[in-house]
Amino acid sequence: MENHNKGQWSSSFGFLMAAIGSAVGLGNLWGFPYKMGMNGGFAFLLLYLILVVLVGFVITTGELALGRRSGKGVVDAFKSIDKKYGFIGWFAWISPLLILGFYCMLGGYCMKYAIANLGDLFGASWGVNGADSGEYFAGFYTDQFQTVLFTVIFILLTVLIVKGGVSGGIEKFTKVAMPALFVMLVIVIIRSVTLPGAAEGIAFMFKPNWEVFQGSGFISVLAAAGGQMFSSLSLGMGITVTYGSYMKKTEDIERNAIIVPLADTIIAIMAGLAVMPAVFASGLDPAGGPGLLFVTLQTVFQAMGGFGPIFGFLLYALVFIAAITSSIALLEAVSSVIMDRELEKNPNADKKSVRNKSVFLVSAIILLEGIFVSVDGLGANGLPQIFGQGCWLDTFDLISEGILMPLGACYMAIILPNAFVDEELTLEGNRFRTRRFYDFCIKFIAPLMMVLVLLGQIDTFFKLGIFG
Ligand code: PFF
């Protein structure tokens, strides 16, 4: 069943840019380099690569096939296997909806920092102006007016692109934005690795430290690499199913399921090369989280002298691009489910107005969420908290990335019939070269890994120390 009521990618390149854009996001730019450094460097990278092949590739293949076969958003896609599986689709619908609120807030932070570095370049009053980076950041994220403002602007930009439709909005934007991101990343890497003392940062990332595998260490590194791989590839959250539903039947799913994870991994490693050498060259702490991006790196740029604001602007602008190409994917995944509902009620409805209505409805919810997490100011503004988390960003992340996503992906791997995938991958003369490999990994390795990721996430969110 092919259903292009909601749109279709106009070219293979367009699909690839959109799909890579959905995967490359905030997770790559600060999560990956930090986790790699803290979990044994090259040892982590090796496990990460194995997991990308054994789990990332097969779940991406399954999700793309499910999406294209059903031609529907994630809820109806799961219902197309069997009505009783609709709940897995709802899991994958709630997650991006929860993530969007804080993701757009962090995207708004990047806009603020890109603008502030531009201000420094012109010596304007709205620059950072040599302020202490830690104080500047704390002053910003607790300033409810400013954070709400930037969050709302970021949400409106996301909505504007998604409103333009699959090929006229998302594809058109990502086809320009992703190559631009790549070029900017290369420029920042060249600066970063040529700073005096940069070698230490490269060693932090790549130096093999096999000792981390001792005792329960292996499981702990495996859980960290699995969690990173899984959210970096935007799996278990409807995005890949939705983007698959807009693919032409002539497209080779298997080939695309190799290219997207590979590109995502290459960009994650490149992000590490842009960030870590600069952090070490300045003698700063490589610890992760928002502090790495908005305090540590800002300190690095301030220490660079006259050229600092240029590299600062480039880096925050490229992280902004990475964030918005992911937030449009998150919004499309949530909205497409509403569009399916509307089109089911009224199959002859004007497609443009169905899209507009659905996107606006979802945007209203995201605006409320985004304003709420911005007002919370990373937990510093005194709002009551739940589930023992320090801020509402963490609570939304716990429910989505922590629980619903790995659980949903685990279910999917188990219930998705191999015959469906086989049929979908061999259409139009395409060959399914890795069929046996896929059949084995999706039924045995992927569910096991997803359970491990689930345990790892619960361990991290509740600081249980199960994995040491
Ligand atoms: N894959 C994107 C990233 O790494 O930032 C988008 C994303 C997916 C964000 C899943 C968060 C998430 F839980």
Side-chain angles (χ1 to χ4, degrees):
M1 181 185 358
E2 211 163 358
N3 180 347
H4 296 305
N5 281 336
K6 293 176 289 173
Q8 192 175 37
W9 307 114
S10 71
S11 64
S12 303
F13 179 72
F15 163 75
L16 276 174
M17 289 304 105
I20 295 170
S22 86
V24 172
L26 296 170
N28 300 57
L29 289 146
W30 81 61
F32 183 85
Y34 162 66
K35 286 182 193 159
M36 189 168 156
M38 300 303 277
N39 286 286
F42 186 72
F44 174 91
L45 180 62
L46 203 65
L47 278 190
Y48 187 91
L49 291 174
I50 294 172
L51 287 174
V52 166
V53 177
L54 298 183
V55 183
F57 161 66
V58 293
I59 300 190
T60 303
T61 304
E63 290 201 9
L64 287 176
L66 175 62
R68 192 174 71 177
R69 187 175 199 276
S70 65
K72 292 287 169 63
V74 70
V75 172
D76 285 352
F78 275 101
K79 282 190 179 162
S80 77
I81 305 175
D82 191 313
K83 278 246 171 316
K84 68 177 183 232
Y85 295 136
F87 78 97
I88 308 176
W90 287 114
F91 276 15
W93 183 79
I94 296 169
S95 297
L97 188 62
L98 287 177
I99 290 173
L100 268 163
F102 68 80
Y103 210 80
C104 289
M105 176 184 80
L106 296 169
Y109 284 14
C110 296
M111 284 171 71
K112 160 78 185 175
Y113 271 72
I115 293 171
N117 275 277
L118 215 55
D120 271 355
L121 194 63
F122 297 117
S125 59
W126 35 275
V128 183
N129 286 319
D132 173 81
S133 305
E135 280 168 24
Y136 184 82
F137 183 50
F140 170 63
Y141 74 73
T142 51
D143 179 339
Q144 293 166 327
F145 174 76
Q146 274 208 69
T147 42
V148 168
L149 180 72
F150 281 102
T151 305
V152 170
I153 296 174
F154 190 90
I155 292 175
L156 294 181
L157 289 174
T158 304
V159 171
L160 201 71
I161 299 166
V162 173
K163 215 177 76 59
V166 176
S167 62
I170 303 176
E171 185 176 343
K172 209 164 152 190
F173 178 75
T174 48
K175 269 197 318 206
V176 178
M178 291 312 288
L181 176 144
F182 191 80
V183 173
M184 287 152 92
L185 193 54
V186 171
I187 299 174
V188 180
I189 291 175
I190 294 173
R191 173 69 283 206
S192 178
V193 299
T194 51
L195 288 168
E200 223 186 305
I202 300 175
F204 172 79
M205 274 184 71
F206 293 102
K207 205 170 121 217
N209 171 9
W210 306 108
E211 274 151 37
V212 291
F213 286 169
Q214 276 169 12
S216 65
F218 180 75
I219 297 289
S220 139
V221 177
L222 196 65
Q228 174 65 24
M229 179 275 305
F230 166 73
S231 60
S232 185
L233 293 181
S234 298
L235 301 174
M237 59 189 314
I239 288 182
T240 307
V241 174
T242 309
Y243 275 19
S245 75
Y246 306 139
M247 272 175 129
K248 289 184 184 145
K249 293 284 184 193
T250 44
E251 282 283 344
D252 183 342
I253 288 186
E254 191 183 39
R255 182 176 144 266
N256 286 302
I258 295 172
I259 299 177
V260 176
L262 193 70
D264 182 70
T265 308
I266 292 173
I267 295 193
I269 296 172
M270 288 174 70
L273 286 175
V275 172
M276 286 305 162
V279 169
F280 276 84
S282 309
L284 294 165
D285 179 12
L292 174 66
L293 193 58
F294 299 111
V295 180
T296 314
L297 283 177
Q298 183 54 42
T299 310
V300 171
F301 298 128
Q302 273 165 247
M304 274 183 191
F307 286 112
I310 298 179
F311 290 107
F313 170 75
L314 274 178
L315 181 105
Y316 292 114
L318 85 84
V319 185
F320 161 78
I321 293 176
I324 199 159
T325 52
S326 295
S327 69
I328 58 181
L330 290 157
L331 178 58
E332 180 66 23
V334 179
S335 307
S336 78
V337 169
I338 312 283
M339 286 184 235
D340 286 343
R341 293 279 161 295
E342 290 287 321
L343 287 166
E344 200 181 359
K345 268 194 282 171
N346 186 358
N348 300 320
D350 172 50
K351 310 292 177 276
K352 191 90 199 121
S353 60
V354 167
R355 170 168 286 274
N356 285 346
K357 197 171 147 194
S358 312
V359 173
F360 283 137
L361 182 76
V362 179
S363 325
I365 305 174
I366 303 163
L367 273 172
L368 290 177
E369 268 181 313
I371 292 171
F372 179 64
V373 277
S374 303
V375 166
D376 184 39
L378 300 178
N381 289 338
L383 257 55
Q385 304 292 336
I386 57 169
F387 303 146
Q389 300 301 304
C391 61
W392 279 92
L393 185 162
D394 284 349
T395 303
F396 286 155
D397 201 26
L398 159 70
I399 301 169
S400 49
E401 257 192 295
I403 299 170
L404 294 180
M405 286 164 56
L407 211 56
C410 182
Y411 268 123
M412 188 211 81
I414 296 169
I415 61 105
L416 182 65
N418 288 357
F420 269 37
V421 178
D422 191 36
E423 212 178 281
E424 196 58 35
L425 263 71
T426 48
L427 292 175
E428 309 272 345
N430 282 321
R431 284 179 52 223
F432 189 6
R433 288 146 289 212
T434 54
R435 178 187 288 117
R436 288 170 68 175
F437 174 79
Y438 169 88
D439 286 353
F440 177 76
C441 293
I442 197 89
K443 290 291 174 262
F444 299 103
I445 301 183
L448 249 171
M449 265 317 296
M450 286 304 114
V451 171
L452 184 66
V453 167
L454 180 68
L455 293 176
Q457 300 279 32
I458 291 174
D459 185 40
T460 312
F461 276 103
F462 293 109
K463 302 185 180 63
L464 301 177
I466 310 174
F467 294 126

